Amino acid sequence: MSRDQTTKTNALRLGWRIGVPTYETDESFAGLLQFLVANKAIVDEVSFFETITHHLYLPLEVFATRAAVLKRRIAALKEAGISAGINVLCTIGHINEGWDYMPLLPFQAMVGHDGAVSKSCACPNTPEFKAYIRQKYQLMAGAGPDFIWVDDDIRMHHHGVGFGCFCPTCMDLFSRRTGRAWMRETLVTAFNDPNGLERRQAWVNQNVQVLQTLMQDVREAIRGVNPGIVIGLMTAGPGWTTYSGQDIPAWLAALDATKVRPGGGFYSDEQPFEMYGKALEVGRQLVGCHAKVNDRQYELENFPYSALSKAVTSVINECTLALAAGCNGIAFNAIGALTGPWLSERKPLMERVNATRRMWEILVQHAGNYPLTGLYPVWDKGLTARRQVRQGDTWLNSNQWHLYDITRPQLLSELGLALAVEPSVGTILSGRVAEIYSDKELTKLLSGGVIMDTRALDVLAERGLADLAGVRLAHAYDNGVKETLTDDPLNGVYAGQDRCASIEFWGDGKGLGDMLEVTAPGVRVLANMRTYLNKTYGPCMTAFENRLGGRVVVAGYGPWMYLGSTAKREQLLNVADWVAKGQLPLRVREVIRLVPLVRLSADRKHGAVVLLNAGADTIAEATVDLRIDTDAVALLSSDGQCRKLATQPAEGGCRLALDHMQPWSTTILLIGGNPRTLLRDA
Ligand SMILES: [Zn+2]
């Protein structure tokens, strides 16, 4: 099914995850049932956790008893007209938890690359574990759920040990796969060999396949009891690590899942802008998942259920961004451990969700399955497998991790730059992420629009492709430098403006002070690096249209920090527009912290734009240029009302004015269609 065909079937689904203490006794369940029925308008499904802790092992008799309780709870919810299922929290186990008194695993625990043994999480490969987990899922399936969610411990990293699994069973498996006998110690040493690419790839492939087999086993266990149970998979994102191979489409297929819940981080709003990073991380997890998975619930995380950790407004914003990033539902982990009268603590949340539901319904329907549009900071599920290991580096627990941090370019969004999670109108190469590409792929990429830092230029130089950037690294400064914008037209009216990022204060990979040497005619210098005493060293930012027609910009001075000056913002937005050949979907004219997520159809006649005011100031007015092929733009307000906006023709699309955008609030624009009919259609 194409993205466009599914547009009309995109229905919002709101799920609620419920902890054991909230349903186990008849008394607590009575309070819960009353609460859920009272809030039925926003309760599309309820998932009961099967266990209290993230420690995997409990005797099967415990789960047999709990399944009997769950059977009654699920029946009661269905009776009340609410879809009910089970959220299996532990399949492998998440972390070491409660180890002073939880029962020891009676089968092989996960072993880390350093020989550490997990207290709470299992190796997924032993026959004893497989028999146990099959029976556990059979018990859960027997409780009569509409659906079963498999939680996000389906990974080979962060299980109380950093990187697994190096137990004898897994070493034997790898030895058979590679035709050579391996011991843990020698294998870890071999991983650090710069020539060990094939071995590292084979290991990550084993991780992918082990989890794929586990998902097949889980599916067979569930389907064997009841083929009608809908299955969902909760996932962790590639921004954390790709050690497990992060082959989410393969795992979904093995599980026969039609539900997915991408997740990761953002537990409190101490750093509220992290909600945007999580939205992108969620978007990355959805790439390649749309074909069969029509229920894509965002992980709203309030674990460990302290109401004051997040303002209700943060929750609403966060969910809105996630829906803008590709989800069409929300799995609320917000009332998990509350019992009886304490559920009333969540009344303000339930009221706001209720008041917002209509807006979300219209947003997901209008955004359909259109992709995020904008510049694409490159990531890849094979990054850990395929990255280089240089002499002195360690593959696992590397001190070079910042060179592979795919989230670094995200701060460009604070300038009003729309970012994407898959190839779109232009590419951003940061650090050494470009290592994932073959020479041929990299050449193709450089025939389009690219913004890169000088660590990416290093990769090009090693491949003999730096001529496509028109520059080479001349000298790396680590102190006493700033950049000064030239009179190139891409700098607008800001020629001569300085930008000082004080790289001495932030000395890791963020604080680059790299000077460039021009190696081809036609290279434009956008900024020169100068001392604090205004002596010019040489170019530090360039733009080049190469022989393949690609537009390549190289930034050598503090490329991922302190970009928010008026001059730098204007330069970078002009640069982004230039590399994208005018296809950047949106420009905000004022210097304001208005962060966009843009979903557009290929013909740019339909889609949705969500703008986050990511600051504590009210935005009095904003002038927004949309590069769309329609003048039908409607403002969707929080109560679900739509109002057509007046637009003026502007270069590549239309211009519109917005005003009074409250601090930390979202504004939703619907592109295309007739706003009058939206209320009826939605
Ligand atoms: Zn193992």
Side-chain angles (χ1 to χ4, degrees), residues 123 165-167 170:
C123 165
C165 178
F166 293 79
C167 79
C170 292

Side-chain angles (χ1 to χ4, degrees), residues 375 417 425 451 571-582 584:
L375 290 193
L417 189 64
V425 301
I451 297 174
Q571 178 206 53
L572 283 170
L573 293 179
N574 288 343
V575 158
D577 238 353
W578 182 72
V579 301
K581 298 191 173 174
L584 208 61

